[in-house]
Amino acid sequence: MNWLLQLYPARWRERYGEEFGAVLANQRASVGLVLDVLAGALDAHLYPQIQNSQSKPINGDDTMTLEMLQRCTVGGPKLSPQDRRIASLFMILSALVMAVLYIGLTKIYHAAPAVEALFYASFPALALIYGQTAYLRKRPWLTQIFVLGAGLLALYLVMLAACVIGNKL
């Protein structure tokens, strides 16, 4: 799995390569892991955070993994009140759109599996919408649309499969 490290920029590998290689060595190989590492490499190329080659060396507790764990234990990235308000407003508007869409489709198609899947996917979709609009707010629109669209599509397809299987039972 260490061959995946070569996909990252050279400066990133200088700073995090040894530690990330150790993390990869402890992981079981899977499609999901490869996709995660590919997405991370793409992000490292598109949004480099290490600007110069004189990055500070890793010393003892100053590791990427420790920084990530500390960040997660204190509630993740800090959101401004404005970011939270915008994400909440977007989530509320999305809930209204989904409710109107569900009611309209139910009147037309009744209890079709595709309509029921929309209903079952609506609550987790709202959590996904809030999270993506809050945490990806500073990313380009194309990135936001792709990540949110892919997540919502995957969620809907899982619910649709469950509804189709449920109707056949």
Side-chain angles (χ1 to χ4, degrees), residues 94-112:
S94 298
L96 292 174
V97 167
M98 281 190 274
V100 168
L101 186 63
Y102 175 72
I103 291 169
L105 290 173
T106 302
K107 289 202 176 280
I108 297 169
Y109 298 106
H110 305 288

Side-chain angles (χ1 to χ4, degrees), residues 102 105-106 108-121 155-169:
Y102 175 72
L105 290 173
T106 302
I108 297 169
Y109 298 106
H110 305 288
V115 176
E116 292 302 309
L118 178 66
F119 173 73
Y120 293 126
L155 178 62
Y156 177 75
L157 291 175
V158 166
M159 294 302 176
L160 179 60
C163 288
V164 167
I165 292 169
N167 276 352
K168 292 186 183 219
L169 294 177

Side-chain angles (χ1 to χ4, degrees), residues 60-72:
D61 290 338
D62 184 23
T63 62
M64 174 181 64
T65 306
L66 182 62
E67 288 177 24
M68 287 185 342
L69 290 173
Q70 288 173 340
R71 188 175 191 185
C72 290

Side-chain angles (χ1 to χ4, degrees), residues 79 87 91 124-137 148:
L79 295 175
M91 183 181 72
L126 293 177
L128 184 65
I129 288 168
Y130 178 85
Q132 298 302 331
T133 54
Y135 295 111
L136 292 179
R137 191 159 143 49
L148 184 58

Side-chain angles (χ1 to χ4, degrees), residues 34-156:
V34 171
L35 290 176
D36 283 344
V37 173
L38 289 174
L42 178 63
D43 183 63
H45 281 284
L46 294 176
Y47 306 103
Q49 296 178 359
I50 300 173
Q51 299 299 326
N52 58 28
S53 60
Q54 297 174 343
S55 59
K56 66 178 187 175
I58 298 172
N59 295 323
D61 290 338
D62 184 23
T63 62
M64 174 181 64
T65 306
L66 182 62
E67 288 177 24
M68 287 185 342
L69 290 173
Q70 288 173 340
R71 188 175 191 185
C72 290
T73 58
V74 295
K78 298 297 179 213
L79 295 175
S80 70
Q82 180 184 3
D83 287 343
R84 288 194 303 265
R85 277 192 299 275
I86 290 170
S88 297
L89 180 64
F90 196 75
M91 183 181 72
I92 290 168
L93 291 175
S94 298
L96 292 174
V97 167
M98 281 190 274
V100 168
L101 186 63
Y102 175 72
I103 291 169
L105 290 173
T106 302
K107 289 202 176 280
I108 297 169
Y109 298 106
H110 305 288
V115 176
E116 292 302 309
L118 178 66
F119 173 73
Y120 293 126
S122 62
F123 182 73
L126 293 177
L128 184 65
I129 288 168
Y130 178 85
Q132 298 302 331
T133 54
Y135 295 111
L136 292 179
R137 191 159 143 49
K138 295 187 178 22
R139 297 289 188 186
W141 278 102
L142 188 59
T143 302
Q144 292 181 36
I145 290 169
F146 177 76
V147 170
L148 184 58
L152 291 174
L153 179 64
L155 178 62
Y156 177 75

